[in-house]
């Protein structure tokens, strides 16, 4: 007779397969089988570059809340197996709230079912749904040592908290204002502030080139990814778009933090401007079409990129030129080692009106900030 583990693997491979009824089986046996198959899938993913938040996002996009909840608990179980975790792992587990809330002396499957007012069979079905997603995922570049790897001392070159708080304050105001000119001006001030801070600290800090992944909503993904791309370029980083739904970023640690922060704000502002452009249009008008909105975002990103480059212009400083050259070389070498095969992709602009509206929205900003 096939083991329960084998049955679960087959069910994940073929979602039409009938799951076994587990009510007559010992709870501990069911729990062990479920955790064993998920552990096997997790170990494969960690070997091939995946991180907890990546797994969380791909399951969130493909399954329901029950499966996502079971995944979060399973990630908490997985993390508990390792005495030491990379700081990125700890940050991501905290972000998705993956904590052990149940009595570890008792089977998790039954406790999950009780908490969600479900049966044990429902819990097993949720686990199989998670597994069905995990076994289809491709390999990714390894950007963080897999759990269980001895860690060297990690020296994080984070943004000065005072600077970061000022940047967040500017962006919060930009996101809350109803006036596009003010929003764009505040964003430009934030970019100017972080650029100046980055240049001031460059001669003092050794480069810490690394990579991060920024997941984006799938709706109008190409336009949103282009916004991230121009922000990355303006901050001395490289970007690669994955159809899975994220942008892979390569750069110095400080610069990547800034890219994530500014991208989030600009995407909020871009979406607000895009929706506002169609507010007065009637249902069925071009201003409310997908083509208009995609073209709007692409144009908005293009113009924002121009303005960010202008905001970054600083007088030549002979002291900084070697440092900038070193940073660029480090980023390019890291990028080349991570991505040996990349394909250029063009996105067509199918609405001239959308392009014009996007550029006009981005052009309203007054970037001469004092």
């Amino acid at each position: 007779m096939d083991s329960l583990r084998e049955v679960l693997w087959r069910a994940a491979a073929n979602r039409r397969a009938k799951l076994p009824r587990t009510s007559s089986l010992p709870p501990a046996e069911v729990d062990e089988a479920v955790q064993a198959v998920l552990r096997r899938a997790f170990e494969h993913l960690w070997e091939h570059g995946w991180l907890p938040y990546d797994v969380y996002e791909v399951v969130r996009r493909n399954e329901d809340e029950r499966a996502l909840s079971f995944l979060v608990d399973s990630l908490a179980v997985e993390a508990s197996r390792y005495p030491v975790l990379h700081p990125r792992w700890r940050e991501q587990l905290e972000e998705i709230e993956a904590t052990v809330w149940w009595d570890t002396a008792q089977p998790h499957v039954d406790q999950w079912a009780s908490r969600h007012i479900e049966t044990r069979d429902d819990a097993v079905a949720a686990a199989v749904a998670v597994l069905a997603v995990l076994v289809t995922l491709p390999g990714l570049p390894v950007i963080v040592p897999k759990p269980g790897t001895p860690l060297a001392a990690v020296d994080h070159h984070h943004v000065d908290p005072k600077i970061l708080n000022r940047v967040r304050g500017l962006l919060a105001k930009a996101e809350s204002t109803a006036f596009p000119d003010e929003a764009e001006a505040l964003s430009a001030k934030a970019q100017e502030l972080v650029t100046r801070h980055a240049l001031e600290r460059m001669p003092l800090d050794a480069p810490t080139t690394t990579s991060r992944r920024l997941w984006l909503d799938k709706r109008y993904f190409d336009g949103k990814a282009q916004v991230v791309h121009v922000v990355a370029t303006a901050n001395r980083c490289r970007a690669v778009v994955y159809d899975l739904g994220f942008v892979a970023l390569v750069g110095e640690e400080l610069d990547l933090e800034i890219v994530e922060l500014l991208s989030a704000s600009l995407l909020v502002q871009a979406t607000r401007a895009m929706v506002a452009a169609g507010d007065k249009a009637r249902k069925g008008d071009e201003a409310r079409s997908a083509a208009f909105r995609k073209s709007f975002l692409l144009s908005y990103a293009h113009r924002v990129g121009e303005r960010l480059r202008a905001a970054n212009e600083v007088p030549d400083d002979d002291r900084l030129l070697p440092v900038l050259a070193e940073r660029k070389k480090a980023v390019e070498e890291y990028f080349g080692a991570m991505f040996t095969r990349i394909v250029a992709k063009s996105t067509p602009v199918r609405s001239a009106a959308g392009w014009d509206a996007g550029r006009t929205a981005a052009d309203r900003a007054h970037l001469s900030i004092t």
Side-chain angles (χ1 to χ4, degrees), residues 118-356:
E118 303 276 9
T119 67
R120 186 194 298 168
D121 285 343
D122 292 327
V124 172
V128 170
V130 170
L131 187 63
V133 174
L134 303 188
V135 297
T136 65
L137 299 180
L140 298 176
V142 176
I143 60 176
V144 169
K146 67 177 183 178
T149 303
L151 298 178
V154 179
D155 183 17
H156 283 291
H157 296 265
H158 289 297
V159 187
D160 183 328
K162 293 181 181 179
I163 298 295
L164 194 54
N165 286 338
R166 288 180 63 190
V167 171
R168 285 197 172 111
L170 287 167
L171 296 182
K173 291 179 181 178
E175 291 175 11
S176 62
T177 182
F179 302 99
D181 287 0
E182 183 182 11
E184 295 285 359
L186 289 165
S187 296
K189 181 64 177 177
Q191 176 68 29
E192 180 188 29
L193 178 64
V194 298
T195 298
R196 185 171 67 249
H197 176 65
L199 291 175
E200 286 174 352
R201 64 184 280 282
M202 269 186 172
L204 303 176
D205 296 340
T208 53
T209 307
T210 185
S211 179
R212 290 178 177 266
R213 295 174 187 137
L214 185 57
W215 287 83
L216 304 171
D217 290 336
K218 294 290 281 185
R219 192 168 177 80
Y220 310 122
F221 175 73
D222 288 342
K224 292 174 181 177
Q226 187 64 20
V227 172
V228 176
H229 171 76
V230 300
V231 174
T233 301
N235 287 279
R236 300 166 296 279
C237 299
R238 294 289 303 271
V240 173
V241 177
Y242 277 75
D243 289 338
L244 285 166
F246 67 86
V247 179
L249 299 166
V250 174
E252 199 267 343
E253 188 74 43
L254 166 69
D255 294 333
L256 292 180
E257 292 184 14
I258 297 304
V259 170
E260 290 181 327
L261 192 62
L262 285 178
S263 293
S265 175
L266 287 169
L267 285 170
V268 169
Q269 294 173 58
T271 300
R272 179 186 294 136
M274 177 184 70
V275 173
D279 275 349
K280 296 180 181 179
R282 293 174 299 180
K283 186 176 181 181
D285 284 355
E286 183 180 359
R288 291 193 174 187
S289 68
F292 179 94
R293 293 187 168 187
K294 289 177 182 179
S295 300
F296 182 104
L297 282 173
L298 291 171
S299 178
Y300 190 94
H302 179 77
R303 185 58 178 151
V304 163
E306 292 177 346
R307 291 180 169 262
L308 289 179
R309 286 192 294 275
N312 282 345
E313 290 180 357
V314 294
D316 290 339
D317 185 334
D318 292 341
R319 180 177 62 100
L320 291 178
L321 290 177
V323 180
L324 290 168
E326 181 184 357
R327 289 288 167 87
K328 182 177 180 180
K329 180 181 178 182
V331 170
E332 292 299 325
E333 289 179 348
Y334 195 103
F335 183 87
M338 280 188 63
F339 302 104
T340 56
R341 291 185 300 173
I342 56 175
V343 178
K345 178 183 178 182
S346 61
T347 303
V349 174
R350 302 189 184 280
S351 170
W355 180 268
D356 291 342

